[in-house]
Amino acid sequence: MITRAGWGLAAASVLVYAVGAPLGYAQAAVLALTGVAAVGAGALWTLRGVRLEVRREVTPVKVARGEPAVAILHVRNTGRWRHAGLLARDVCRGTTVTVEVPALARHTARTVSYRLPTRRRGETPVGPLLLDRVDPFGLARRSVAYGRPDMLLVRPRTVVLAPLRSGRQRHLDGLTSRSAPSGASSFKGLREYVIGDDLRHVHWRSTARTGTLMVKELTDVNLPDTVTILDTRPSSYEGDDEFELAVDVAASAACAVTRDRFPVRVLTGMGELVHAKGGPGEDEEVLDRLALVEREAAAEPPLHALRRAGSGGALVLVSGTFAALPDAAAVRRRFDQVLFVRVGDPTDGGPPRAAGVNVIEVADLEELAAAWPG
């Protein structure tokens, strides 16, 4: 296809001929013919077949917002002729990344890499990859698509926080180990025996009464149980940056719990997003789910989500407006600790107070780490 430069040269050539020929300037015809011939030669240059093997890798496939992600392009010339003037173009969420591929002699390969944009959180399709063959003067271009789009998942940024302490009963030794559920020591109930259970926990009276081997189910009364609620109403935020920070805060609060293998529920104005029960690797699931969260016009106020949050443990409510603070104050008696985090520039006079609610304002994740009460 003819590029803008090619069309411009062709139009200029016609204009020179149209103006100069009636006045008897022979040079005008020569210039016009030369320009049109150059455009034609460029088109013929790009029509020549190109035999290439092209493979692209995206690494890593999951990355925190703002962190580097790289595409690695492997190009091999399997044809009989040397190829030069190759440009690779990748489209990544509306942004076109262009990289020049060095000249390829016959049966040789080249590897080039380029950064991918990661400023926006979410699923980011990379591609399809277009390889352009351009003539030396940039008058014509031929584009060929290679492969399928790859998927890059841009997840929220997080900062390391301590889990909020909760539980009305306390062990003198504090929190249990990272495998707290299996090291539990407080009676919760009875259940049927499962292969692998400790026989020391068999409840013989119930076994004799039911005829089924029953064991005591134990749990740690000081086990941190956290509910994190993210306000996803569009009216709660002044812009995209504030909402992205709110997602980062919610992710940091939730991962502070899951990284120590304690349970956490993450809710938004659209319902429950994820319920991590304390298993290994659940922080990855939390980040994957929060990577896809968007503001929704149909999102409910935080109070509606709080009604479904149950009671006990710690509550973290993240919003971009103090208008949601009364929702947290209304349920403070249902939780052992309530934290309200308002994201955005600090307000004049400092944050308002609410009985039984710890209120903090943060403009970035560094401020969150400094103000975190854990």
Side-chain angles (χ1 to χ4, degrees):
M1 82 182 260
I2 307 300
T3 64
R4 290 184 179 181
W7 286 116
L9 178 59
S13 300
V14 172
L15 181 61
V16 167
Y17 181 79
V19 172
L23 299 177
Y25 292 108
Q27 296 88 343
V30 174
L31 291 175
L33 182 60
T34 301
V36 173
V39 175
L44 291 175
W45 175 281
T46 58
L47 286 177
R48 189 177 69 182
V50 179
R51 297 178 60 185
L52 299 173
E53 290 181 356
V54 181
R55 180 171 57 89
R56 178 193 52 211
E57 303 174 26
V58 175
T59 181
V61 294
K62 296 181 181 180
V63 64
R65 184 170 62 90
E67 291 187 353
V70 178
I72 303 174
L73 187 63
H74 306 275
V75 184
R76 181 177 181 82
N77 180 7
T78 59
R80 300 169 55 190
W81 309 101
R82 181 179 182 273
H83 296 300
L86 297 176
L87 291 176
R89 289 185 295 136
D90 249 345
V91 178
C92 186
R93 254 188 142 172
T95 301
T96 301
V97 181
T98 303
V99 59
E100 184 175 352
V101 180
L104 290 168
R106 55 180 296 185
H107 303 303
T108 60
R110 296 279 190 174
T111 298
V112 294
S113 62
Y114 46 96
R115 291 277 298 268
L116 298 174
T118 59
R119 186 177 181 275
R120 295 177 59 188
R121 178 182 47 82
E123 284 187 331
T124 304
V126 181
L129 176 71
L130 296 177
L131 203 61
D132 297 338
R133 179 170 171 78
V134 185
D135 73 284
F137 300 102
L139 302 177
R141 175 188 292 117
R142 182 185 181 188
S143 299
V144 180
Y146 289 90
R148 299 179 179 179
D150 292 316
M151 192 63 66
L152 171 66
L153 184 64
V154 181
R155 307 193 295 186
R157 296 185 299 123
T158 60
V159 65
V160 177
L161 304 173
L164 294 176
R165 293 181 177 269
S166 61
R168 293 178 175 82
Q169 303 179 43
R170 306 286 179 183
H171 285 305
L172 295 178
D173 294 334
L175 295 176
T176 60
S177 68
R178 292 176 63 87
S179 56
S182 62
S185 57
S186 178
F187 178 75
K188 181 181 180 180
L190 297 174
R191 59 173 174 80
E192 292 186 7
Y193 172 83
V194 177
I195 295 177
D197 284 340
D198 192 337
L199 293 177
R200 293 176 298 178
H201 295 162
V202 173
H203 195 269
W204 296 110
R205 288 186 179 181
S206 298
T207 298
R209 184 171 60 253
T210 62
T212 302
L213 196 60
M214 305 292 291
V215 297
K216 292 178 287 185
E217 188 174 8
L218 305 176
T219 188
D220 189 342
V221 294
N222 195 30
L223 181 67
D225 188 1
T226 304
V227 175
T228 301
I229 297 180
L230 174 64
D231 188 356
T232 54
R233 295 173 299 173
S235 60
S236 298
Y237 303 93
E238 293 185 0
D240 294 339
D241 291 342
E242 279 194 358
F243 181 69
E244 291 302 319
L245 178 57
V247 178
D248 293 344
V249 171
S252 299
C255 288
V257 181
T258 56
R259 283 169 182 159
D260 279 344
R261 298 187 185 178
F262 293 121
V264 63
R265 296 176 64 197
V266 180
L267 297 91
T268 70
M270 302 302 292
E272 183 173 277
L273 186 68
V274 61
H275 186 183
K277 299 180 180 179
E282 287 187 318
D283 55 324
E284 294 293 316
E285 181 182 1
V286 169
L287 292 174
D288 289 349
R289 296 290 185 88
L290 283 171
L292 306 179
V293 168
E294 300 290 346
R295 286 170 289 181
E296 299 283 353
E300 297 178 334
L303 184 60
H304 293 192
L306 287 167
R307 289 171 180 169
R308 300 189 294 268
S311 60
L315 169 67
V316 180
L317 175 55
V318 185
S319 179
T321 173
F322 283 120
L325 180 57
D327 292 353
V331 297
R332 67 186 186 278
R333 298 183 182 277
R334 289 167 43 191
F335 297 91
D336 305 324
Q337 186 173 173
V338 177
L339 176 64
F340 181 89
V341 184
R342 185 257 175 187
V343 299
D345 295 331
T347 56
D348 296 334
R353 296 183 178 181
V357 180
N358 192 349
V359 182
I360 61 176
E361 282 186 290
V362 297
D364 53 47
L365 287 182
E366 287 70 24
E367 291 186 7
L368 175 68
W372 188 256

